[in-house]
Amino acid sequence: MAPAALEAQSQQKEETVAHNSVLSSTSVNDTTHRSKVSVIGSGNWGSVASKLIASNTFRLNSFHDEVRMWVYEETLQSGEKLTDAINRTNENVKYLPGIKLGNNVVADPDLENTVRDANMLVFVTPHQFMEGICKRLVGKIRADAEAISLVKGMEVKMEGPCMISSLISQILGINCSVLMGANIANEIAVEKFSEATVGYRQNRDVAERWVQLFYTPYFIVTAVQDVEGVELCGTLKNVVALAAGFVDGLEMGNNTKAAIMRLGLREMKAFSKLLFPSVKDSTFFESCGVADLITTCLGGRNRKVAEAYAKNGGRRSFDELEAEMLQGQKLQGVSTAREVYEVLSHRGWLELFPLFATVHEISSGLLPPSAIVEYSEKQVRSF
């Protein structure tokens, strides 16, 4: 966006009273300490997040208008660069066509330039790319920057599982909150009502600033002091969604699907509390918990592709179906199921989590899709 246009937008900005759960009016009107926001990621959800954020940075005086969105550069079939197309049309024509992002969103293929001078970093890329992205940013960000992760997934290392928020903090040396919830991106893009949960560690003021950045009348955000609980809910629900998709593909009916969702929620809670005893039971009743599980098992991409996998009897790989059905978007459930399986195997927990174990064994071709309803015959410990 041209500097002149941004200046014109700034002159038109209205003074707004923030939602009562966010920063005080004193800090909102403090134009000498405006926060600058950068979004690292520009897929379907990254583009929607940029739209939400841009509507608030333009409206609230506590933020710089401009939101830079890092784009992994691609060349469209027309020959035009994706970044150029986004900046020309104000739409992500590949991953979110038909939705205006806001004139203050600027697509940038240069990662370092995207984060320059930003003190609020929003990470929203497939989790398998996060370690490489963070390593590229070492020494390139402000020392006082705060991060928030919208990324579902975990890294499994020799020393054990590492959540993406922890990965960001460890590599970049900054605090990282998380945002998860019942958030199918295409529905939020057209401003259908939705909720989300911010998980934070210690600083409530930081959490409130993230709430302020994302909150709109159609996107309600609340904060809870439970980073690991919120993040694991957002991560593990994709594994359960695969199971729900297998059930749909085999036409087993709603009763079976409901049973799978209930058992999945039980394993989500048990796994989370074994890894992190500090995880709160109440977190599973936030938007990031049961609500996200329900919507993902009813309408998410993991469920959709798993249904196709089951209909084909497992004869077509997830990689093949992903390429055919998702137009460049990435599944998270299959890789997360593998990572969870590695943790379970390493710690001797496989028999405690038969649903999680079976989902991986089906998605990797070791078992047929019909095994999803056979796992319950195994001995299971009650939690």
Side-chain angles (χ1 to χ4, degrees), residues 18-83:
H19 184 263
N20 59 12
S21 69
V22 295
L23 296 177
S24 68
S25 59
T26 300
S27 62
V28 169
N29 292 319
D30 183 3
T31 58
T32 62
H33 296 94
R34 290 183 176 179
S35 294
K36 184 174 181 181
V37 184
S38 293
V39 179
I40 298 94
S42 58
N44 186 240
W45 183 212
S47 298
V48 173
S50 296
K51 176 182 185 289
L52 287 167
I53 291 166
S55 69
N56 284 326
T57 61
F58 175 67
R59 185 175 61 88
L60 299 172
N61 285 325
S62 54
F63 299 98
H64 286 281
D65 285 359
E66 183 182 273
V67 176
R68 285 206 166 255
M69 178 179 74
W70 177 62
V71 177
Y72 181 79
E73 191 66 282
E74 302 177 52
T75 301
L76 302 174
Q77 288 185 341
S78 64
E80 186 177 20
K81 298 291 187 182
L82 178 57
T83 300

Side-chain angles (χ1 to χ4, degrees), residues 89-106:
T89 64
N90 193 229
E91 297 178 15
N92 189 329
V93 296
K94 180 170 183 179
Y95 296 111
L96 195 67
I99 302 296
K100 297 298 181 183
L101 302 181
N103 291 329
N104 51 327
V105 174
V106 178

Side-chain angles (χ1 to χ4, degrees), residues 141-157:
I141 62 173
R142 285 173 49 164
D144 64 344
E146 288 280 342
I148 193 165
S149 172
L150 281 61
V151 182
K152 282 86 171 176
M154 66 176 75
E155 292 284 328
V156 177
K157 301 178 180 296

